[in-house]
Amino acid sequence: MRSTWRTLDRGVLTGIAAICLAVAMIGVSYGATAVTSGLPGWLPVLMSVAVVAGGSEFVFIGILTAGGGLVAAVLAGLLVNARHLPYGLSVPDVVGTGWRRLLGTHVMNDESVAMALAQPDRDRRRAAYWVCGLSVLAAWPLGATIGAILGAVVPDPNAFGLDAVLPAVLFSLVLPALREPLTRTAALVGAVVAAATTPFLGAGLPVLLALTAVLLVVRRAGAGEATTANADQAASTECTTAAAGTV
């Protein structure tokens, strides 16, 4: 673990600390919301440890408190968590092997994946992923526990604007990647898709549809590689022809 910490510079560790602070604050809102909605205090705490996915947990709690059935709440939570499938494909080299993969996939979340993808090499990606993932695994249940305790005191936790903290932190993480024209285009397309489908679809579905913008990146990146390969092949052919002409 000491070597992992040495792999990360101070800026990355500061970013992870800011993420954990934001996650804990959202956890307070989550725990308080669950308790003030009439659910037992142990439920958000247990889910925060077993699920470690704020979006799906909020959806689960929201459906239950709105009178929905347990099966519908579970299926909706799983649907929202389906975004972890492309996450796993984007960071296959950092989650580990064997028994470590079980823990590695458990701590996979928006924050740990974002921190990993922001690193320049494999060692730093792995270190950022694990440090951030394990830190969130501690901060999220801690915040949920505090929120559950304070739930009877805070009648409306969203009045403090805690629900806006985590999106702001995630946006600051992905902002440097938006300097790439292709990534920026994909992000804009995804945002338009999500905004256009939100009024018509249930929670979680617009985000999943927004992932179709990734296809744009893959297609254009593939076209770029093909163009580069063709150019290299043409240059090689020209060199060969010129060499043959001089013989």
Side-chain angles (χ1 to χ4, degrees):
M1 179 60 71
R2 182 176 300 177
S3 61
T4 298
W5 282 92
R6 290 176 178 175
T7 303
L8 301 176
D9 57 39
R10 185 173 181 178
V12 175
L13 294 176
T14 301
I16 293 175
I19 288 174
C20 290
L21 178 60
V23 166
M25 293 176 67
I26 298 298
V28 172
S29 176
Y30 165 61
T33 299
V35 172
T36 55
S37 299
L39 297 175
W42 57 265
L43 182 60
V45 177
L46 177 61
M47 289 181 58
S48 65
V49 176
V51 182
V52 201
S56 63
E57 292 178 47
F58 270 111
V59 169
F60 179 86
I61 294 295
I63 292 178
L64 286 184
T65 56
L70 179 62
V71 174
V74 171
L75 290 177
L78 290 175
L79 183 61
V80 173
N81 256 12
R83 69 186 187 279
H84 286 69
L85 294 175
Y87 283 177
L89 295 175
S90 64
V91 288
D93 56 338
V94 302
V95 295
T97 58
W99 66 268
R100 292 184 181 85
R101 182 174 291 273
L102 295 176
L103 179 59
T105 54
H106 185 61
V107 300
M108 181 180 293
N109 50 58
D110 301 335
E111 298 82 17
S112 61
V113 172
M115 288 299 301
L117 294 178
Q119 306 311 310
D121 57 69
R122 179 180 177 182
D123 290 340
R124 293 184 183 182
R125 284 198 301 272
R126 179 180 296 146
Y129 178 85
W130 280 96
V131 172
C132 186
L134 292 174
S135 299
V136 169
L137 180 61
W140 179 244
L142 176 63
T145 302
I146 295 174
I149 295 174
L150 299 178
V153 181
V154 183
D156 184 14
N158 288 331
F160 295 97
L162 297 178
D163 54 333
V165 176
L166 191 57
V169 172
L170 288 176
F171 181 75
S172 67
L173 287 175
V174 302
L175 192 59
L178 297 180
R179 297 172 182 171
E180 295 290 336
L182 189 57
T183 303
R184 185 167 57 249
T185 300
L188 290 174
V189 172
V192 170
V193 171
T197 56
T198 295
F200 310 103
L201 300 177
L205 287 176
V207 177
L208 293 178
L209 287 179
L211 291 175
T212 56
V214 175
L215 299 177
L216 175 65
V217 177
V218 174
R219 182 176 180 180
R220 294 189 61 179
E225 292 178 357
T227 301
T228 302
N230 291 336
D232 292 341
Q233 183 177 3
S236 176
T237 301
E238 290 178 1
C239 291
T240 301
T241 304
T246 58
V247 176

